[in-house]
């Protein structure tokens, strides 16, 4: 995933520089920001203004993802407080799954990788951002529609109605995840019909 922006913005498909991708948000993910600064980790995603649990996924317009076998997710993140980033998948049948493996260090940005064959999955309510039911046994990861991340804890930032995101004060320490890189390692599986950009 490559991002491009020159100001603090809400995350949308328009900030992606990788072609043929759609971006989808879950829970309060519409309040995830693309933040900028002067560090090598900029621009990066920041979820400190999510009022409830939130996350996002990427969707290839031309292909599903085959995430069986040695498939993995690699990401570079830093967190504050008890926050952790977890894998989020939407299967071809519409099932939304969140994984039990969480990543994040409060000390510094860290590159982590998660082997998807070792992850246990729960269903996720896409609107409320809460887990549902028991562990999903042997989900079919051979045709994954979307892949991304989710944080099950709300952010610590304060929304101010009518104030543009670029003017909101920084979220306090203790309540956020920031991500500067996201890589999905799997195999493409052609879609039967092309997806159009939303």
């Amino acid at each position: 995933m490559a991002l491009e922006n020159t100001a603090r913005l809400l995350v949308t498909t328009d900030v992606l520089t990788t072609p043929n991708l759609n971006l989808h948000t879950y829970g309060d993910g519409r309040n995830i920001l693309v933040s900028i600064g002067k560090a090598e980790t900029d621009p990066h995603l920041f979820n400190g203004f999510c009022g409830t649990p939130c996350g996002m996924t990427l969707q290839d317009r031309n292909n599903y993802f085959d995430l069986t076998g040695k498939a993995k997710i690699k990401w570079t993140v830093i967190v504050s407080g008890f926050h952790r980033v977890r894998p989020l998948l939407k299967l071809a049948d519409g099932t939304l799954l969140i994984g039990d493996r969480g990543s994040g260090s409060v000390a510094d940005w860290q590159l982590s990788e998660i082997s998807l064959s070792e992850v246990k999955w729960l269903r996720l309510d896409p609107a409320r951002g809460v887990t549902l039911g028991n562990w999903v046994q042997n989900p079919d990861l051979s045709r994954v529609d979307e892949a991304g991340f989710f944080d099950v804890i709300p952010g610590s930032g304060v929304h101010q109605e009518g104030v543009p995101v670029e003017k909101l004060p920084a979220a306090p320490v203790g309540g956020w995840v920031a991500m500067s890189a996201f890589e999905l390692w799997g195999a493409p599986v052609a879609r039967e019909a092309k997806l159009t950009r939303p």
Side-chain angles (χ1 to χ4, degrees), residues 67-75 87 89 99-103 112-121 141 183-185:
L67 300 181
T68 59
K70 295 184 178 181
K72 61 187 172 183
I73 289 176
K74 292 171 71 173
W75 45 35
L89 303 179
D100 68 334
R101 300 294 175 102
S103 301
S112 302
E113 98 178 28
I114 294 176
S115 295
L116 296 175
S117 64
E118 298 178 336
V119 175
K120 291 173 62 178
W121 303 96
L141 302 186
E183 297 177 29
L184 183 66
W185 293 73

Side-chain angles (χ1 to χ4, degrees), residues 10-83:
L10 292 172
V11 70
T12 65
T13 296
D14 293 335
V15 302
L16 298 175
T17 61
T18 307
N20 298 318
L21 289 182
N22 290 329
L23 185 147
H24 301 277
T25 60
Y26 293 96
D28 196 27
R30 69 185 183 280
N31 285 310
I32 295 173
L33 303 179
V34 180
S35 295
I36 60 166
K38 297 179 181 176
E40 63 185 36
T41 54
D42 294 319
H44 63 267
L45 299 171
F46 178 79
N47 78 345
F49 291 100
C50 291
T52 62
C54 65
M56 58 166 269
T57 58
L58 298 171
Q59 177 188 50
D60 187 313
R61 296 178 200 144
N62 301 319
N63 300 290
Y64 290 109
F65 307 114
D66 180 351
L67 300 181
T68 59
K70 295 184 178 181
K72 61 187 172 183
I73 289 176
K74 292 171 71 173
W75 45 35
T76 302
V77 298
I78 188 171
V79 301
S80 182
F82 292 134
H83 289 250

